Amino acid sequence: MNINIQTPRRSLNKAFLKVKPERSDIENFKTNLTKLLDRINEDESEEFHKNIVSRFLDNTRYAGNHYINTKGRTDLVIHNGPDAKSPVGVIIEAKKPTNKAEMPAKDNINSKAMHELLLYYLRERIKNKNNDIKHIIATNIYEWFIFDAQVFEKLFAQNKELVKEFTDFEEGRKSGTTTGFFYKEIAEPFINSIEDEIPFTHFDLRNYEKLLRGVGKTDDTKLIPLFKTFSPQHLLKLPFTNDSNTLDKTFYAELLHIIGLKEKKQKNKKLIERKDEGERSLGTLLENSINQLDILGKITRMPDQDSYGNDYNEKLFNVALELCITWVNRILFLKLMEAQLIKYHKGDESYAFLNLEKIDSFDELNSLFFSVLARQPHERNEAVKGKFEKVPFLNSSLFEPSEIEHQTILVSNLNDDRTLPVHPHTVLRDSTGKRIKGELTALEYLFRFLDAYDFSSEGHEEIQEENKSLINASVLGLIFEKINGYKEGSFFTPGFITMYMCKETIERAVVQKFNDAKDWNCKTFDDLREDVNHFIRNHPQGRKEARDEANKIVNSLKICDPAGGSGHFLVSALNEIIAIKYRLNILQDRNGTAISGYKAEVVNDELIVSKTVYDDEPLFEYIPGDEESQRIQETLFHEKQTIIENCLFGVDINPNSVKICRLRLWIELLKNAYYKTDANGFELETLPNIDINIK
């Protein structure tokens, strides 16, 4: 038996590791975990300790959503739903703290608790035909052994011999009918015979006592992996905040409200439309735009006005919506960039620029777009130099007036003074914590609304001190896919599908590319990996030249999405190509030095880079000024740039989709933006123009 012991941190989904827990949740967890440890009474029964475990889980994250109780002879189960009718998701065997004899040990898991778990698992999986089990746990309150149900599925439920033995035992066809017989005669010898690796998570709560009872909050980040290990997102494998398939409905609803839109259900579709006449407010971005387009008579002067609708009102709406999407695209991109700049500079709020102090009018917003972001700092006029000195030049067509802006209006044409009512379920709160009421101008509303969320989701694990919800690039892509599909309803392909399709198809395409280029005969990607490694080791001109040659082959891929939408497939393809380069050992920096000591993988449809030099594989974090961190960040940026410029192509009949698709690819580059030192000083690397590939 080959045992693979994992720490809590290593067992967690790496995309989930990036999610910052809220301070209130961490404090609640600390309180309840301390209570659990304080309530341990070694003189009490197993039943007593089973109950305090149940109470701990309920009080932390499970009450109301996931029912916890006994089931048959199983000590505890966590259901996937709020009542006992929902399928069991987690099976728990709880022992007394003093009962060490029946507990698994780190060097020998073949114990009575393991035998009991095997029996309860097989009853649930085979007899009850439950395929929703996620984890199996043995604990004596102090020590926890957590097994992924996929391990039990592979080792036990898929073993025909064991299943037959279990079925014969359950139906009374064995010479013994007691559970003791099953444990000794069936479970123990079978577990002893396992030759495969058995991975599991192990930890001892006593090792966390100092952290729990210490004064202050400086070490609380060390509790994050344990907090997440006990979470329903991990134990029940639920979607989490920055999951690309999860729409933040609160953010979505209020953003629609600020724009001036609403969602309605029509048959099986959810469509976006202009608010009804009695609900409209001239302060929303859409109504303000429609009003200005109408006053200035812009629609009738557009050369392609007929492509925007059949009558004047339809044209007004469609042109105004395209303008609003263009402006909000830019603002959301800048919100992500602002959060990243603040993070790069260790929380320095002087890098914040999307606020009323810096931008108190639509005219100022227009200046930010075209007089600041579109110009090098030394080329900016005096009116904006001082105010926006820390805002970088981006060199992106996103910050050039679009064709529709040239033909109609700029954001500076909007009326500054018009207000709109605050959404009844707004995220905005006053100093007492109550939802604010009344009316705000669109700019103030938009900036305060965006500030109520956390856009800095890229990076290492930390606690969200202000209890803000996380918004990341994938969530924004989903939101704009929905807004953009306002006429026919949108279809957002879930991340697990784009991730799977990209991996399967691009791996095969890469195999074929190498076979054609090198006259090889690789059948699988594993075959290719062996041949590429041999090629690198034995290249007559050296390993760098071999990697250069291999990279050119991969970079010759051409991938086109003929219905680009929000760019989701292209982003998945981008991430997968980088992960493929890592798996082929050809990922290298700009000087041709191999990237070693790091792992690049796609998790939850996101590219995750982590260090491999430590057991816990900490996530990579860019630290400006740190030489090694700079090398990795630059490598990721330029790999993405090369792939976007050479390999990825997208087409859509909807011009809004094209803008959103480009935006998503720019955001992927923004994640790895880095500072460079040149003649103009310490500046953020500019973004390339990718318009040519997305049409």
Side-chain angles (χ1 to χ4, degrees):
M1 186 189 307
N2 184 11
I3 288 174
N4 177 1
I5 303 173
Q6 298 179 341
T7 61
R9 199 183 170 290
R10 186 147 194 177
S11 67
L12 292 168
N13 178 303
K14 287 199 176 81
F16 185 35
L17 267 178
K18 292 170 67 175
V19 177
K20 292 188 276 190
E22 295 184 359
R23 167 56 68 185
S24 58
D25 287 336
I26 286 288
E27 292 301 325
N28 181 53
F29 175 70
K30 287 169 65 178
T31 298
N32 286 299
L33 187 54
T34 303
K35 284 180 181 176
L36 173 67
L37 292 169
D38 288 344
R39 285 170 176 161
I40 290 173
N41 184 340
E42 296 186 352
D43 295 328
E44 282 287 356
S45 65
E46 187 175 292
E47 188 74 16
F48 171 88
H49 289 94
K50 177 175 65 180
N51 289 334
I52 65 172
V53 169
S54 175
R55 203 173 311 149
F56 160 68
L57 293 170
D58 259 339
N59 291 341
T60 48
R61 303 292 293 281
Y62 292 85
N65 297 314
H66 302 285
Y67 182 61
I68 301 175
N69 210 331
T70 59
K71 183 180 182 186
R73 296 200 54 174
T74 309
D75 283 350
L76 280 177
V77 296
I78 305 174
H79 289 266
N80 284 298
D83 54 46
K85 293 178 183 177
S86 59
V88 168
V90 179
I91 298 169
I92 302 173
E93 174 62 25
K95 298 293 184 187
K96 287 176 60 173
T98 54
N99 188 353
K100 295 179 181 177
E102 295 184 357
M103 275 290 290
K106 287 201 290 184
D107 57 351
N108 180 20
I109 61 170
N110 201 354
S111 63
K112 184 180 178 184
M114 189 71 173
H115 307 154
E116 289 169 313
L117 284 175
L118 178 56
L119 179 60
Y120 304 150
Y121 168 77
L122 290 173
R123 282 175 175 167
E124 193 61 42
R125 179 71 184 90
I126 305 301
K127 285 185 72 174
N128 297 340
K129 295 181 169 50
N130 178 4
N131 58 9
D132 284 319
I133 307 167
K134 307 299 193 306
H135 282 97
I136 296 97
I137 299 172
T139 181
N140 65 355
I141 321 303
Y142 289 128
E143 282 194 275
W144 292 71
F145 292 79
I146 303 178
F147 299 84
D148 192 307
Q150 291 178 1
V151 175
F152 270 51
E153 177 74 17
K154 178 186 173 185
L155 296 178
F156 305 130
Q158 296 301 320
N159 188 289
K160 293 179 181 178
E161 184 182 336
L162 175 65
V163 170
K164 183 179 184 307
E165 289 275 291
F166 163 74
T167 305
D168 287 346
F169 167 76
E170 286 289 284
E171 294 178 2
R173 292 194 291 269
K174 287 292 187 181
S175 55
T177 57
T178 65
T179 54
F181 175 86
F182 178 85
Y183 302 153
K184 272 291 176 192
E185 301 297 327
I186 299 175
E188 186 175 354
F190 184 83
I191 292 171
N192 265 336
S193 70
I194 294 172
E195 294 181 357
D196 291 354
E197 181 179 83
I198 304 181
F200 60 86
T201 306
H202 172 267
F203 54 89
D204 190 323
L205 292 180
R206 287 169 290 199
N207 296 331
Y208 294 88
E209 290 228 39
K210 282 186 180 179
L211 291 173
L212 290 170
R213 303 182 194 278
V215 179
K217 301 176 180 179
T218 53
D219 289 330
D220 284 355
T221 53
K222 295 176 184 176
L223 289 169
I224 291 176
L226 188 66
F227 164 78
K228 290 181 177 178
T229 299
F230 279 115
S231 71
Q233 285 77 16
H234 177 67
L235 290 183
L236 291 172
K237 299 185 179 180
L238 301 179
F240 44 87
T241 309
N242 72 343
D243 190 313
S244 61
N245 307 314
T246 306
L247 177 69
D248 189 309
K249 293 179 181 177
T250 305
F251 181 89
Y252 174 60
E254 195 158 6
L255 182 62
L256 285 185
H257 174 74
I258 295 169
I259 295 172
L261 300 167
K262 70 173 185 177
E263 187 177 73
K264 74 167 186 178
K265 194 167 185 180
Q266 191 176 91
K267 295 182 180 177
N268 294 324
K269 293 180 180 178
K270 287 184 178 178
L271 305 181
I272 305 295
E273 63 180 18
R274 187 180 181 184
K275 286 194 172 187
D276 295 333
E277 220 165 307
E279 301 173 334
R280 293 172 193 167
S281 170
L282 285 174
T284 63
L285 296 174
L286 182 69
E287 297 304 325
N288 203 337
S289 303
I290 287 172
N291 190 52
Q292 293 301 313
L293 287 166
D294 186 35
I295 288 171
L296 298 171
K298 291 291 184 179
I299 299 300
T300 54
R301 299 177 197 172
M302 294 179 70
D304 60 343
Q305 61 172 285
D306 290 340
S307 65
Y308 285 91
N310 298 316
D311 58 49
Y312 182 70
N313 284 331
E314 187 181 354
K315 292 172 186 176
L316 259 183
F317 170 75
N318 286 328
V319 171
L321 181 60
E322 185 171 335
L323 287 166
C324 289
I325 288 175
T326 299
W327 300 328
V328 175
N329 270 356
R330 290 175 183 150
I331 291 167
L332 290 174
F333 177 87
L334 292 175
K335 194 65 188 175
L336 288 166
M337 187 183 81
E338 178 190 67
Q340 202 151 324
L341 291 176
I342 293 169
K343 183 178 178 59
Y344 286 173
H345 295 90
K346 298 179 169 45
D348 185 347
E349 291 294 331
S350 68
Y351 283 85
F353 56 89
L354 286 177
N355 52 62
L356 283 179
E357 288 180 23
K358 296 277 176 72
I359 304 167
D360 59 3
S361 66
F362 286 115
D363 195 48
E364 284 289 336
L365 184 61
N366 199 67
S367 291
L368 175 69
F369 290 164
F370 307 129
S371 299
V372 178
L373 294 153
R375 295 190 181 185
Q376 294 273 13
H378 63 278
E379 296 173 346
R380 295 171 186 170
N381 62 51
E382 294 303 319
V384 298
K385 258 186 181 178
K387 186 184 283 190
F388 297 111
E389 64 177 340
K390 293 182 177 178
V391 178
F393 163 61
L394 288 182
N395 186 39
S396 162
S397 63
L398 187 62
F399 298 103
E400 294 172 1
S402 64
E403 188 60 35
I404 194 170
E405 286 174 302
H406 278 302
Q407 292 178 15
T408 57
I409 61 174
L410 298 169
V411 74
S412 55
N413 287 103
L414 299 186
N415 188 310
D416 292 311
D417 301 325
R418 294 207 169 111
T419 60
L420 68 150
V422 174
H423 192 276
H425 302 294
T426 183
V427 72
L428 302 183
R429 298 286 195 271
D430 62 21
S431 57
T432 66
K434 292 182 180 178
R435 282 195 176 96
I436 69 167
K437 296 180 180 179
E439 298 206 343
L440 297 170
T441 64
L443 264 187
E444 181 182 3
Y445 197 166
L446 187 57
F447 290 156
R448 288 180 64 179
F449 165 69
L450 295 178
D451 270 343
Y453 291 87
D454 180 10
F455 286 78
S456 60
S457 56
E458 297 302 315
H460 70 300
E461 308 99 293
E462 54 193 336
I463 296 169
Q464 170 55 266
E465 298 292 348
E466 297 177 278
N467 294 342
K468 295 180 178 181
S469 297
L470 287 161
I471 298 292
N472 76 346
S474 300
V475 173
L476 291 180
L478 173 52
I479 285 168
F480 274 100
E481 180 91 353
K482 288 175 73 67
I483 293 174
N484 199 30
Y486 69 94
K487 283 184 179 177
E488 299 86 17
S490 63
F491 183 79
F492 188 83
T493 310
F496 70 88
I497 293 178
T498 62
M499 186 172 68
Y500 173 79
M501 290 180 73
C502 285
K503 183 176 187 299
E504 291 296 307
T505 53
I506 297 174
E507 275 192 354
R508 290 179 198 169
V510 169
V511 170
Q512 189 60 49
K513 280 281 182 187
F514 274 93
N515 283 345
D516 292 345
K518 308 300 295 178
D519 198 26
W520 292 347
N521 190 30
C522 301
K523 303 294 185 188
T524 67
F525 189 80
D526 286 339
D527 294 341
L528 176 65
R529 192 161 49 212
E530 286 184 22
D531 280 11
V532 169
N533 284 334
H534 182 268
F535 172 70
I536 292 171
R537 285 194 303 269
N538 296 284
H539 196 282
Q541 293 176 285
R543 297 191 175 198
K544 176 189 177 299
E545 286 70 16
R547 286 194 298 270
D548 285 343
E549 195 175 330
N551 271 286
K552 282 180 184 175
I553 293 171
V554 175
N555 293 341
S556 69
L557 281 168
K558 305 295 177 198
I559 298 166
C560 182
D561 184 349
S566 68
H568 190 184
F569 264 104
L570 293 180
V571 170
S572 292
L574 171 66
N575 291 336
E576 183 55 38
I577 292 171
I578 292 175
I580 280 173
K581 288 188 176 188
Y582 163 77
R583 294 198 292 275
L584 292 176
N585 294 318
I586 62 172
L587 200 57
Q588 59 183 9
D589 65 23
R590 299 176 78 186
N591 297 319
T593 304
I595 299 297
S596 58
Y598 295 86
K599 178 190 287 186
E601 57 189 322
V602 178
V603 182
N604 278 62
D605 202 27
E606 276 194 86
L607 181 70
I608 305 289
V609 178
S610 54
K611 297 179 183 178
T612 57
V613 290
Y614 304 111
D615 180 55
D616 273 343
E617 296 188 350
L619 301 178
F620 166 72
E621 179 189 10
Y622 174 50
I623 303 168
D626 179 89
E627 189 176 341
E628 177 63 6
S629 171
Q630 185 80 12
R631 184 175 80 95
I632 302 304
Q633 187 81 341
E634 287 188 22
T635 299
L636 293 170
F637 181 92
H638 289 286
E639 279 293 340
K640 286 182 175 182
Q641 180 179 352
T642 298
I643 294 163
I644 289 170
E645 290 179 340
N646 293 285
C647 306
L648 303 182
F649 299 83
V651 178
D652 205 287
I653 60 170
N654 187 330
N656 291 336
S657 291
V658 172
K659 291 174 184 174
I660 293 164
C661 185
R662 289 173 184 160
L663 179 74
R664 282 292 283 111
L665 291 170
W666 272 316
I667 287 171
E668 289 306 307
L669 270 175
L670 179 66
K671 289 178 180 179
N672 296 107
Y674 64 89
Y675 279 93
K676 61 178 182 178
T677 304
D678 59 17
N680 296 315
F682 195 53
E683 292 183 352
L684 202 69
E685 175 63 278
T686 55
L687 299 181
N689 219 323
I690 57 173
D691 296 19
I692 193 169
N693 289 2
I694 315 295
K695 296 289 188 184

